[in-house]
Amino acid sequence: MALPGFKSIPLPLVQLSLSAVLKCGQSFRWSILTSEATQENSSEPSHTHIEYRLCLKDRVVCLRQSPDTLFYRSVFPDPQPLSTNLLEHEKETLEWLKDYFQLNIDLVSLYKQWGHKDKVFSKFQERFEGIRILRQDPWENLISFICSSNNNISRITKMVQGLCREYSPPLLSMEHPFSPKETLTYYPFPPPSTLAASPVGLKLRALGFGYRADFIQKTAKMLVDAHGIDAPISPHHSTEASEIWLAQLRKRSTADARQELLKFVGVGRKVADCILLMSMDKKEVIPVDTHVIQIATKHYGFKGSTSGKTNMTPKLYEEISTKLSSIWGEYAGWAHTVRIPLLSLSVIIPNLSL
DNA sequence: TATCGGCCTAATGT
DNA sequence: AACATTAGGCCGA
């Protein structure tokens, strides 16, 4: 089935479910645009009713999805590229999407492996199809997850988007896909040098970042001071030297990269592990968050405190991480992303353990 | 080396 | 209606 203005590739929902992946707390900068009329109907939103948009480098990428197809198109700041060049641009967008969603990884075979090794997973796996790890920009990921501490997904999303609106010039504006009267503006993620300036802490605090405001400014300043801001000249998108240095951590070992990340203010073990998994290719890393603790105590034989709430200690973190790694194996971090749907399901269907 | 109180804020629970 | 707890924790003592 064709969609006017969009390119497409065949891609089954079991490999990628945008609605699940883009809301599961990995990335906080996507616009998820729906048509009000059909939102009330509990029937699954299809490619005609929901569009996902992200400002990616020099363009806004728009995505829609049907059960077997991914639709994509790119919008540029005016003037739009000539139609002779448009094909090349869409080709580039597709390459970026393959990289961002790591489409070379076969999720179905991973699910099969996890289900084979893990009764809990096999029991629930049909219920959370298409949930995979994104390969995000390390700098954006670092700041986003500093925001995540002691926080919830909806607030983190507001904070990250507010930060982009405050500190980046708009890339472009375009109309809402389902209500053309509404104009939406898209902002890139601001570079380290912008967030390193000293008044940023105060401003972010005023924007509701709480105690994380200073962590962000200080982390940005540490990066800029240590690795500089030189960047190749580019009209709409550039990458500063410290961002490039950060991205180079992908080439280091997990332990080395983690050690570097832990030096930043506002980055502890859990946040470092999120960054390793979601932007630095460390597919085996399991960030142990409150949801993972709940699952570990509920389904995998960890004993919580008698009063219901277990408080985290470095030792407990290590124990849970090690245990789940031994169950899920090489792609353990990928397996762990289903924790939120798993938890909501196991409320309905309790009574499972290894 | 381990533990503990404090920290911003908004939403939900008691 | 106040008050406590929770949400993808981290820092400093």
Side-chain angles (χ1 to χ4, degrees):
Chain A
M1 192 190 296
L3 194 61
F6 285 77
K7 299 281 178 192
S8 70
I9 54 167
L11 184 66
L13 269 174
V14 289
Q15 288 293 345
L16 171 65
S17 166
L18 290 177
S19 64
V21 171
L22 300 184
K23 284 189 289 194
C24 74
Q26 293 190 63
S27 168
F28 304 96
R29 209 159 51 86
W30 284 85
S31 307
I32 301 173
L33 307 166
T34 57
S35 87
E36 296 293 336
T38 53
Q39 212 170 2
E40 291 298 321
N41 297 342
S42 60
S43 63
E44 206 59 23
S46 80
H47 60 289
T48 53
H49 299 136
I50 180 157
E51 181 165 317
Y52 308 87
R53 290 178 180 172
L54 178 69
C55 175
L56 192 56
K57 303 187 187 183
D58 62 344
R59 67 199 66 179
V60 173
V61 176
C62 309
L63 302 181
R64 298 198 200 186
Q65 186 167 42
S66 74
D68 54 12
T69 306
L70 177 68
F71 301 92
Y72 63 97
R73 78 173 175 126
S74 317
V75 178
F76 294 83
D78 285 326
Q80 297 300 306
L82 299 172
S83 58
T84 47
N85 295 329
L86 197 55
L87 215 61
E88 282 304 311
H89 284 101
E90 293 294 24
K91 209 165 144 189
E92 191 172 40
T93 295
L94 180 57
E95 288 313 305
W96 292 354
L97 290 173
K98 284 179 180 171
D99 182 72
Y100 185 86
F101 290 108
Q102 314 206 57
L103 295 182
N104 58 321
I105 304 294
D106 180 3
L107 198 59
V108 174
S109 91
L110 287 179
Y111 272 47
K112 203 174 293 179
Q113 292 171 41
W114 297 325
H116 192 65
K117 289 184 279 197
D118 179 351
K119 278 185 235 166
V120 179
F121 197 98
S122 64
K123 182 77 178 178
F124 291 117
Q125 61 182 353
E126 304 79 30
R127 310 291 289 273
F128 35 74
E129 287 174 341
I131 300 180
R132 57 169 60 237
I133 294 290
L134 303 175
R135 186 170 193 263
Q136 299 183 69
D137 171 71
W139 159 244
E140 173 179 344
N141 207 223
L142 169 62
I143 298 304
S144 299
F145 277 86
I146 288 176
C147 294
S148 79
S149 79
N150 213 346
N151 208 346
N152 59 71
I153 291 177
S154 71
R155 186 175 163 216
I156 301 164
T157 303
K158 283 176 198 159
M159 286 162 62
V160 170
Q161 299 192 356
L163 181 147
C164 294
R165 188 162 47 248
E166 184 68 31
Y167 287 105
S168 291
L171 181 76
L172 60 85
S173 295
M174 52 194 286
E175 63 186 27
H176 190 292
F178 309 111
S179 64
K181 277 177 288 186
E182 197 178 335
T183 297
L184 303 166
T185 303
Y186 295 89
Y187 301 84
F189 197 87
S193 63
T194 302
L195 299 185
S198 50
V200 166
L202 275 174
K203 177 88 101 177
L204 289 180
R205 209 164 253 272
L207 285 177
F209 280 62
Y211 56 81
R212 305 161 197 84
D214 293 312
F215 294 165
I216 291 170
Q217 185 270 329
K218 286 176 180 165
T219 288
K221 182 158 172 42
M222 285 170 71
L223 262 175
V224 165
D225 287 349
H227 304 103
I229 64 172
D230 293 340
I233 296 164
S234 166
H236 294 295
H237 182 266
S238 65
T239 307
E240 296 185 352
S242 65
E243 295 177 78
I244 293 168
W245 176 84
L246 200 60
Q248 306 278 344
L249 293 182
R250 285 171 168 164
K251 293 193 277 198
R252 304 235 226 140
S253 71
T254 297
D256 280 3
R258 180 185 287 127
Q259 196 175 5
E260 290 296 333
L261 291 172
L262 287 172
K263 292 176 184 171
F264 295 113
V265 197
V267 179
R269 176 65 192 268
K270 187 268 171 183
V271 168
D273 282 358
C274 285
I275 299 163
L276 290 170
L277 174 66
M278 299 175 194
S279 70
M280 294 193 173
D281 303 330
K282 307 306 184 204
K283 54 194 187 308
E284 78 284 4
V285 172
I286 302 174
V288 181
D289 59 33
T290 61
H291 296 142
V292 172
I293 297 172
Q294 285 184 59
I295 287 178
T297 55
K298 191 163 189 173
H299 298 299
Y300 297 92
F302 278 84
K303 52 184 190 305
S305 78
T306 50
S307 61
K309 166 168 177 253
T310 18
N311 33 2
M312 185 46 88
T313 64
K315 201 178 87 180
L316 182 60
Y317 191 109
E318 210 56 51
E319 285 173 4
I320 292 179
S321 183
T322 305
K323 174 72 184 293
L324 294 179
S325 290
S326 73
I327 297 172
W328 292 329
E330 190 187 3
Y331 279 79
W334 284 55
H336 114 288
T337 36
V338 305
R339 72 209 181 292
I340 293 175
L342 180 82
L343 263 182
S344 60
L345 279 180
S346 56
V347 171
I348 306 164
I349 316 170
N351 210 6
L352 256 181
S353 66
L354 280 186

